[in-house]
Amino acid sequence: MGVQPSELSPTTRAKALDEMAAGEVDVLVIGAGVVGAGAALDAASRGLSVALVEARDLAAGTSSRSSKLVHGGLRYLKQLNFSLVFEALRERSLILETLCPHLARPVEFIYPLERKGIDRGYVGLGIGVYDVLGAGKGVPSHHKHLSKRKTLEMFPDGKKGHIQGAIKFYEGQLDDARHTMMIARTAAAYGALVATSARVTALTKRGEKVVGATVRDLETGRDIQVKAKTVVNATGVWTDDIQQMIGGKGGFRVQASKGVHIVVPRDRIKSKTGLITETEKSLLFIIPCPWSDDFWVIGTTDTPWDLDRAHPAASRTDIDYILEHANGLLEKPLTRDDVVGVYAGLRPLLAGESDQTSKLSREHACVSPVPGLVIIAGGKYTTYRVMAKDAVDEAAKQLAGPVEKSCTEKVPLIGADGYQALWNTRARLAERTGLDLPRVEHLLGRYGSAINDLLALIDDDAALAQPLTSAPKYLKVEAVYAVSHEGALHLDDILARRTRISIDTWDRGDGAAREVADLVAPILGWDASAIEREVDHYRSRVAAERESQEQLDDRTADAARLGAEDVRVGAG
């Protein structure tokens, strides 16, 4: 696909930075979360020249810390925001059926009913409308009312005297970090220059017009000047920082809202489906883990956050809140000892009149406050493609000559092409490779047809087919591929985002850190001291996160998390 290789490696990164410094691009995108990566793909697939820079890693912020759902948003339906729901459901269909069927899949949920009569009518009406709006959009569209007996058959660990029945329906889910990374790789395949660990320190202006940016390579300390006809600020909760570079002009403000999730073993909750219920602040999801059948992901919270944005900290209070509300549905309560992993992310909400972040807008805004600069902010993960399109449409107005219309609704991501045929023949693939069938299914669900790249690496080095000793759900080849093809530059990138070892192993990757560092050191050019530094950095991060999760409030949790420095100096 495309005209260029799609791999993101240390070599392609260095070349991308050199090319950015040497010429001028049509569009410079700042921020490689899902919207920034989406904007880079949108612009590149229109035939524009594009540079995408990110201070940390692909999806390092909000885009790796969501609920892992592709959904219309039941809460927005309650707010009577039908247009947002319909738009999100349309995008859900595209994601599941066309853009990345290898990464996304339908997931069955039940909404337990706790009050006889009242809940069935109220909730049933809402989910019924949701079903009608989403008919034919990527998932089975027939919701179903369940009796108390049938509900407890599907959800044996449900609280017997509490649950009166349920309503069954479907949503979509995916591993957000891998999805965002695949968008960036697809953008590279269409010619986008992609560089992580590349922080914008200033915008370049000619008069009132923004004409590029100063970008610091955080791996070497080198500053380069990137000339651009237009610049797109897609930095999420860092939006206001970029606005300050032009004197605070932007027209809106972004408020960060913290959302915390926990990961618990699958055998701690006996249920055949995911679960959704409403809390006083948000919806609570108990979600089958999208990357492993061994876990549930449970969340979320929705509280204001004005502390460190690079590493938002989950407090003991956050974790206890999630456990308390999950236990409201469970016959056998969960305890803190059941928590394998914890992650916290920040939603970039458009600030309005409400003091409660749960009531701020999930819609997005796109403005051009000064010539040459476009700011895109707000929105929700599922509608990233629409946001990206709107940003590039706005940028295109400032380019000379005609610009092609967006075509990303028809552009499958890396790994999608040929995926279904490979899935259908997975038993033969397992037989041919010597890998067991569950392992092949795991790889297809993470890489799609790009599984052939990994098998080629194994053909060259059979040892890469072995599982990681401390994280046996993953093969050694997956760690190597994360660096050779997926843009990972540091241990944290591999263990927290290309894999999920940081939240789906009991030691949170402490044991795997050394093994993975040794595997990737030759590709990244690490010597013995660099390996030690990376392992120490990662283990300090794990220790700081564990300490923060023992603190009772945000401020002390934040202070504890900041005890571990970022491996990228100046990236925070």
Side-chain angles (χ1 to χ4, degrees), residues 130-170:
Y130 191 65
D131 241 6
V132 169
L133 290 173
K137 292 182 171 61
V139 303
S141 59
H142 302 295
H143 72 286
K144 186 175 181 181
H145 286 257
L146 304 179
S147 66
K148 180 176 182 178
R149 181 181 63 80
K150 189 65 176 176
T151 299
L152 292 174
E153 284 179 9
M154 296 188 72
F155 177 28
D157 273 355
K159 192 170 283 187
K160 304 296 187 292
H162 191 65
I163 295 174
Q164 307 302 319
I167 297 173
K168 182 179 75 171
F169 66 107
Y170 287 83

Side-chain angles (χ1 to χ4, degrees), residues 345-425:
L346 300 177
R347 307 174 188 91
L349 305 181
L350 298 180
E353 298 300 319
S354 174
D355 291 331
Q356 297 179 32
T357 56
S358 60
K359 294 181 180 178
L360 293 181
S361 176
R362 263 64 174 179
E363 295 187 77
H364 68 271
C366 184
V367 299
S368 180
V370 297
L373 178 66
V374 173
I375 300 175
I376 182 78
K380 59 200 297 290
Y381 193 101
T382 305
T383 58
Y384 80 91
R385 194 193 64 82
V386 177
M387 296 174 66
K389 172 185 175 296
D390 288 352
V392 178
D393 282 346
E394 188 63 36
K397 295 175 185 177
Q398 305 186 41
L399 296 173
V403 174
E404 299 288 348
K405 292 184 178 180
S406 175
C407 64
T408 49
E409 76 277 7
K410 300 174 184 175
V411 179
L413 302 186
I414 297 293
D417 187 28
Y419 160 72
Q420 192 59 57
L422 283 168
W423 180 260
N424 293 345
T425 57

Side-chain angles (χ1 to χ4, degrees), residues 437-457:
L437 183 59
R439 182 75 70 180
V440 169
E441 291 176 346
H442 160 87
L443 293 174
L444 284 170
R446 288 169 51 76
Y447 304 94
S449 57
I451 189 176
N452 292 315
D453 295 340
L454 286 87
L455 296 178
L457 291 174

Side-chain angles (χ1 to χ4, degrees), residues 281-351:
K281 295 180 182 177
S282 183
L283 290 176
L284 182 84
F285 298 93
I286 301 178
I287 308 163
C289 181
W291 67 87
S292 171
D293 292 335
D294 296 331
F295 302 100
W296 298 99
V297 175
I298 308 178
T300 180
T301 61
D302 195 340
T303 55
W305 179 265
D306 60 3
L307 302 168
D308 181 62
R309 287 165 292 170
H311 307 289
S315 67
R316 172 180 281 271
T317 301
D318 293 325
I319 296 168
D320 288 346
Y321 171 89
I322 294 170
L323 290 171
E324 176 189 351
H325 285 85
N327 287 339
L329 297 174
L330 301 174
E331 188 73 20
K332 295 177 285 186
L334 298 170
T335 71
R336 287 180 61 87
D337 290 339
D338 295 312
V339 177
V340 179
V342 181
Y343 63 92
L346 300 177
R347 307 174 188 91
L349 305 181
L350 298 180

